[in-house]
Amino acid sequence: MSMNPFDEIAVEEAIRLKEKGVATEIVVVSVGVKQAAETIRTALAMGADRGILVVAADDVHQDIEPLAVAKILKAIVAEEQPGLVLMGKQAIDNDMNATGQMLAALLGWAQATQAGAIEVAGDKASVTREIDGGLQVIEVTLPAIVTADLRLNEPRYASLPNIMKAKKKELVEKTAGDYGVDVSPRLTVVKTAEPEGRKAGVKVASVDELVSKLKAAGVI
Amino acid sequence: MLARIGRATCVSASQRFLHVAVERNAAFGQISEKDVAFFEQLLGAGGVVTDPDALEPFNRDWQKKYVGNTKVALRPRTTEQVSELLRYCYSRRLAVVPQGGNTGLVGGSVPVFDEVVVSTAAMNRVLEFDEVSGTLVAQAGAVLQSLDEYAGQRGFMMPLDLGAKGSCHIGGNVSTNAGGLRLVRYGSLHGSVLGLQVVLPQPLAGAAGAGSGGGGGGGDGRVLDLLRTLRKDNTGYDLKQLFIGAEGTLGIITAVAIQCAPRPASVQLALLACPSFPAVTAALRTARRMLGEVLSAVEFLDSPCSHLATAHLEGVRNPLLQGGAAEGGGGGGGGEGVTHGSVGSAPFYMLVETHGSDADHDQQKMERFLEAVMGDGSVVDGTLAASEAQAKSIWRLREGVSEALVRRGAVYKYDVSLPTSSMYELVEALRARLAAAGFGADAGVLVVGYGHIGDGNLHLNISAPRYDDGLLSLIEPYVYEYVSRHNGSISAEHGIGLMKAQCLSYSKGPVAVELMRRIKEVVDPYGIMNPYKVLPPRPA
């Protein structure tokens, strides 16, 4: 079981912030099946301080929807009082790209999504976001939600001595019920359709024919 | 004790040496237009290559060390065509070089002079796969990686893996008894090949051979049909073993039946840094004891190998080195795909891999192993691949050494079997010997060692700015004599080919060599199959 690549980038960023002296403690959270404890151990081996595993499903194929995850995270945020929440921008199994945004809305916090770079100074963070048109730099006031995109950093390998140390770090196991959250699915799939196939084109024999066809189609 | 040829001169890797030391056998026929016309009629124009530019890849080996001068390369599509080809070549005494992916390292797959190249490139189909037993039957020209993907889609894997997997053909693998990265777990091809179909240069039986085993071959008595998918078959001499490792000198393998292994549900890979070679062997002992039944690969490389791979290959880095590759991910604090707080460059690195059916069990085994080797000091640093991407990256470090050496400059390559505990002494002894003669690090000469430590197999390489006969004369026969003194093998897995054709006696005594010659004479009286290679000629 390996960590969602965007989450791995978020963990790496958290560790770098701690190495820079900006962060004092890194708490890693995973919501899902019991085996997700492995990914928490990997994060602890990379350098996180302690982990919380919220067991919310028995079967790895059972999907926990973003809103349910966001509600659980909101409860954990209330307990832990972090200055910054770093998350992967999306999970590569369902590509929803929704949890970070929903969490920000539930908390009433600022959000900086698709982060390609983060600079923290005092109670503000300057985040460079990767958007369709290019790069956008915004400033948010902490505490805030930041979701990590691909180019934020390249995660480190966990070294053996750290893998050994990680086994002694705290990993607490909870359930969705402990936070009063019902994870039953609320979304229903209304319709699934393949994108329309490309229709075959037509070959024309000459430029004149091309022009007349374009005219007939009302294009020129 | 093994007898040694007193004044053996092994054919060197330098191109100049080759043409001086070996003479073209005047008894062989020479390609004429009539021959080409026959081939074209048999194989179609697409199956015959005569254009000099198009012939270049058939004439030259992967390392660009051995260059032949064939005028024609053939691409048959069926066993029947191969049989017809060999019948014709035999009748005309045309020498033949069977060629698969042409990834060999001892000059065995390219012509020395104008031998006809018979390529298996057009014979690449899977013929049969049994999903219950995992037995695969394929034509000899099927590429190893394609077969592994095919088996993978059905929950199985090929029982061998090597760096050349994207290009090498299964027929070539069998002909050279290729070893590779996972021999320590899945055994050698002598065990995993269940059957073969081979075309012999001369017919040994009349048309329509007797017995129900006639199969699709039989033909004109030169197709040896041993193609079975049976695990157990004790009916007479096990002839297929002769062809496994015969390097194309007895016949052309046209189809292979092989036992695939179940694809493991759990794969783990650790990259470890060791402070000395005794530490490497200690870690190997611990790995055998604690990982035993799930151990699937144990490889080692010395520190210069790691530097070579990271310096000469794009995107390859050693996760255990601070700052990564030479042109690494830039400065500043931060990951850049490496571990942190590591001790700096270690003299040796090991890759330890497990294949198993249960992830939880295997992880526990791996954890206990790692604790043990960190605890007793045989390992000072390491990392466990946390994803397939990380595992691929770590393998690239080890598998890329060969390519990095070729990019650096001239390479003299040796592949030997030696007692494991003293294996690296050869590297150190040669390094000192070359340095004392002025071929040290300041002369740009690197002596490096890496390889399949789980199999007692060292890949000794000497990297130099250019080929130099003076340097070569310091290396050979010193290396062969050293190996012979230690009762080792002068070729663990690469084979003899052209490179070591005069050196067989360093590892095999006169009775063995004579029996090999007799078998060759019975099967190939005209000696047209891959001449000048493997067997030394009888002393005059």
Side-chain angles (χ1 to χ4, degrees):
Chain A
M1 171 156 283
S2 49
M3 202 187 297
N4 182 41
F6 295 110
D7 294 355
E8 205 180 0
I9 293 170
V11 171
E12 172 65 29
E13 197 62 24
I15 298 168
R16 293 187 189 194
L17 286 172
K18 186 170 171 200
E19 285 170 346
K20 284 186 196 149
V22 169
T24 52
E25 192 194 21
I26 302 170
V27 181
V28 194
V29 180
S30 192
V31 180
V33 293
K34 249 179 120 67
Q35 289 93 303
E38 263 171 61
T39 56
I40 297 183
R41 287 268 168 238
T42 304
L44 295 173
M46 284 168 71
D49 298 299
R50 56 187 170 88
I52 303 173
L53 170 65
V54 182
V55 181
D58 294 322
D59 173 9
V60 75
H61 296 293
Q62 184 189 335
D63 197 18
I64 318 279
E65 291 167 2
L67 186 56
V69 175
K71 287 178 181 171
I72 294 171
L73 292 177
K74 177 183 175 204
I76 295 178
V77 164
E79 280 181 10
E80 296 287 342
Q81 305 271 308
L84 177 65
V85 177
L86 275 165
M87 312 168 66
K89 70 170 180 179
Q90 66 200 55
I92 60 171
D93 49 13
N94 56 28
D95 282 325
M96 291 261 202
N97 196 331
T99 311
Q101 293 86 329
M102 287 177 174
L103 178 60
L106 289 174
L107 289 170
W109 285 11
Q111 58 177 276
T113 58
Q114 276 87 257
I118 307 173
E119 288 288 333
V120 177
D123 70 339
K124 300 233 191 293
S126 168
V127 179
T128 307
R129 303 182 59 230
E130 299 186 23
I131 60 173
D132 286 345
L135 298 173
Q136 178 196 61
V137 183
I138 61 172
E139 193 184 68
V140 290
T141 307
L142 303 179
I145 311 291
V146 176
T147 73
D149 210 326
L150 195 59
R151 275 155 280 272
L152 179 58
N153 59 49
E154 201 184 320
R156 67 195 61 197
Y157 287 74
S159 76
L160 266 191
N162 287 346
I163 293 172
M164 299 293 141
K165 277 188 222 147
K167 301 207 307 181
K168 302 196 181 70
K169 291 184 181 175
E170 182 189 302
L171 203 175
V172 163
E173 215 179 280
K174 303 274 219 177
T175 66
D178 292 339
Y179 297 103
V181 175
D182 175 12
V183 299
S184 339
R186 296 155 52 119
L187 300 173
T188 49
V189 177
V190 173
K191 186 176 99 153
T192 314
E194 275 183 25
E196 244 188 62
R198 269 184 65 164
K199 296 199 190 74
V202 171
K203 262 190 171 156
V204 294
S206 69
V207 175
D208 292 331
E209 201 190 333
L210 174 63
V211 170
S212 67
K213 282 208 190 282
L214 289 175
K215 279 190 176 153
V219 176
I220 53 171
Chain B
M1 274 299 135
L2 294 178
R4 273 171 252 142
I5 294 180
R7 294 176 317 120
T9 23
C10 302
V11 178
S12 79
S14 156
Q15 201 174 322
R16 259 182 48 233
F17 252 78
L18 246 125
H19 297 302
V20 168
V22 184
E23 267 179 32
R24 186 187 183 280
N25 185 336
F28 291 148
Q30 286 192 326
I31 283 285
S32 66
E33 278 182 24
K34 201 161 143 274
D35 300 321
V36 175
F38 172 84
F39 295 139
E40 279 175 351
Q41 192 227 27
L42 173 67
L43 304 175
V48 182
V49 182
T50 49
D51 171 68
D53 290 325
L55 282 173
E56 205 246 346
F58 294 99
N59 265 323
R60 183 196 24 82
D61 82 316
W62 169 70
Q63 296 179 98
K64 301 187 172 51
K65 275 182 174 185
Y66 302 92
V67 183
N69 196 18
T70 191
K71 304 286 185 262
V72 60
L74 305 173
R75 296 166 41 106
R77 284 181 314 282
T78 66
T79 304
E80 288 67 39
Q81 285 177 345
V82 175
S83 183
E84 258 306 284
L85 270 184
L86 274 195
R87 184 197 60 73
Y88 184 83
C89 290
Y90 196 74
S91 70
R92 284 272 295 121
R93 289 222 197 198
L94 293 169
V96 167
V97 174
Q99 187 181 91
N102 200 2
T103 56
L105 296 167
V106 290
S109 53
V110 293
V112 180
F113 301 105
D114 58 343
E115 303 90 278
V116 174
V117 172
V118 177
S119 166
T120 49
M123 300 175 62
N124 60 2
R125 288 185 301 123
V126 171
L127 300 173
E128 213 179 280
F129 187 82
D130 183 322
E131 310 225 356
V132 172
S133 60
T135 56
L136 173 92
V137 184
Q139 286 184 304
V143 172
L144 180 60
Q145 191 169 320
S146 313
L147 290 179
D148 190 55
E149 281 162 13
Y150 180 96
Q153 286 158 9
R154 289 151 181 80
F156 287 88
M157 57 177 273
M158 289 294 280
L160 79 163
D161 188 15
L162 48 154
K165 66 191 116 189
S167 309
C168 59
H169 296 185
I170 189 65
N173 290 148
V174 173
S175 263
T176 54
N177 190 27
L181 300 164
R182 301 218 165 73
L183 189 139
V184 73
R185 167 64 171 273
Y186 297 104
S188 102
L189 287 173
H190 281 294
S192 49
V193 169
L194 301 174
L196 290 180
Q197 183 189 67
V198 187
V199 177
L200 304 171
Q202 65 151 1
L204 288 180
S212 61
D220 56 4
R222 59 177 24 91
V223 177
L224 177 60
D225 178 19
L226 301 168
L227 206 59
R228 302 283 179 282
T229 53
L230 306 170
R231 199 82 198 84
K232 303 168 82 169
D233 180 17
N234 282 350
T235 51
Y237 304 154
D238 192 6
L239 294 172
K240 65 181 186 293
Q241 299 299 346
L242 258 183
F243 298 93
I244 300 173
E247 303 186 43
T249 56
L250 295 177
I252 299 185
I253 295 174
T254 47
V256 176
I258 192 163
Q259 178 68 63
C260 292
R263 207 157 195 96
S266 155
V267 179
Q268 301 180 97
L269 179 64
L271 174 67
L272 308 171
C274 298
S276 66
F277 194 72
V280 171
T281 54
L284 170 64
R285 255 202 335 271
T286 311
R288 281 219 163 92
R289 203 171 17 98
M290 300 187 77
L291 295 173
E293 65 278 11
V294 294
L295 190 61
S296 58
V298 192
E299 298 286 312
F300 93 102
L301 56 158
D302 62 17
S303 171
C305 286
S306 169
H307 288 151
L308 275 165
T310 52
H312 292 275
L313 299 174
E314 195 55 53
V316 174
R317 50 170 69 108
N318 185 331
L320 299 178
L321 289 175
Q322 195 75 275
E327 62 280 327
E336 271 88 41
V338 296
T339 59
H340 279 243
S342 55
V343 297
S345 182
F348 293 97
Y349 296 96
M350 285 178 82
L351 276 73
V352 176
E353 186 194 71
T354 65
H355 278 187
S357 54
D358 187 317
D360 286 335
H361 292 176
D362 291 356
Q363 267 158 36
Q364 278 177 40
K365 287 182 183 140
M366 181 59 102
E367 265 173 38
R368 275 187 232 127
F369 162 71
L370 293 173
E371 272 171 17
V373 289
M374 295 264 330
D376 68 17
S378 46
V379 168
V380 295
D381 195 9
T383 183
L384 198 53
S387 65
E388 235 187 87
Q390 283 188 354
K392 266 205 173 91
S393 182
I394 290 171
W395 270 117
R396 189 84 187 95
L397 180 69
R398 159 63 183 88
E399 287 186 292
V401 177
S402 210
E403 200 187 319
L405 283 162
V406 169
R407 289 194 190 200
R408 185 177 183 265
V411 199
Y412 294 99
K413 239 174 171 34
Y414 299 90
D415 157 57
V416 300
S417 279
L418 282 171
T420 309
S421 47
S422 54
M423 185 184 288
Y424 201 73
E425 282 167 22
L426 170 56
V427 181
E428 287 165 338
L430 186 63
R431 201 180 274 147
R433 176 183 165 85
L434 295 185
F439 289 103
D442 336 305
V445 174
L446 286 180
V447 180
V448 304
Y450 64 101
H452 315 293
I453 189 158
D455 309 328
N457 182 187
L458 170 73
H459 289 320
L460 166 70
N461 282 246
I462 299 93
S463 171
R466 67 201 71 78
Y467 288 106
D468 181 316
D469 292 338
L471 175 56
L472 177 59
S473 66
L474 287 167
I475 300 171
E476 289 184 29
Y478 176 82
V479 169
Y480 297 133
E481 286 171 354
Y482 182 105
V483 170
S484 187
R485 264 199 316 277
H486 288 81
N487 287 340
S489 165
I490 56 157
S491 178
E493 61 178 1
H494 291 171
I496 297 294
L498 179 63
M499 181 184 171
K500 303 171 200 171
Q502 309 294 328
C503 305
L504 204 49
S505 303
Y506 280 107
S507 291
K508 286 284 192 309
V511 176
V513 177
E514 181 56 27
L515 183 53
M516 290 187 215
R517 286 196 189 107
R518 303 256 182 116
I519 293 170
K520 165 80 169 169
E521 280 159 8
V522 162
V523 175
D524 181 20
Y526 290 165
I528 63 166
M529 297 305 304
N530 218 4
Y532 320 112
K533 296 167 188 163
V534 183
L535 294 178
R538 277 202 188 81

